[in-house]
Amino acid sequence: MRERPWLTERGDGGLGWSRLSAIIDTFIGSGFVIFSQLDIWWGAAETAESLALIGAGGDIIVGGAVICLTGVGCIAGAPAVATGVGMIGTGVADTADGIGRINDGLGKALREANGSSSIISENEIPESLANWLTKKGIPWEVISR
């Protein structure tokens, strides 16, 4: 019989999860902590919005430059180019802020995840996560190890 080091025999002759259970507990606990951290979501939204602002600023620069090529159109084209440059600058600054917020949120989430134990008890696991896991067919005995 092929050895499976992640499974060990229990006292009653059945198989327990052993190391695999600890890995699953850590993965679920860390993932839940990370995805429940609001700073990560706000940072991602801010970064996406800022990248869209950069793209729009680039489009305005191109439009202003095309208008300015006519010579007389520089009266309208030059302010458009300046506006586009300002939008790109704002987008770059806000993107950096959004990435910083994601970084702060991940740091906070990982500190919380490291502070929690690898064994999840009924009192420690959030009810929504427990319900989701049991709906997926994972018995409570496995979740609560």
Side-chain angles (χ1 to χ4, degrees), residues 8-16:
T8 58
E9 283 193 33
R10 293 191 314 227
D12 60 1
L15 291 175

Side-chain angles (χ1 to χ4, degrees), residues 10-88:
R10 293 191 314 227
D12 60 1
L15 291 175
W17 286 95
S18 175
R19 287 180 242 156
L20 184 59
S21 178
I23 292 169
I24 291 170
D25 288 347
T26 302
F27 181 75
I28 290 172
S30 298
F32 189 76
V33 169
I34 288 171
F35 286 112
S36 65
Q37 189 59 247
L38 288 180
D39 280 344
I40 295 172
W41 294 106
W42 281 114
E46 184 177 10
T47 302
E49 178 266 331
S50 300
L51 291 173
L53 187 65
I54 291 170
D59 291 342
I60 291 174
I61 289 173
V62 170
V66 168
I67 292 172
C68 203
L69 288 176
T70 63
V72 179
C74 274
I75 295 173
V81 169
T83 300
V85 169
M87 288 173 68
I88 289 175

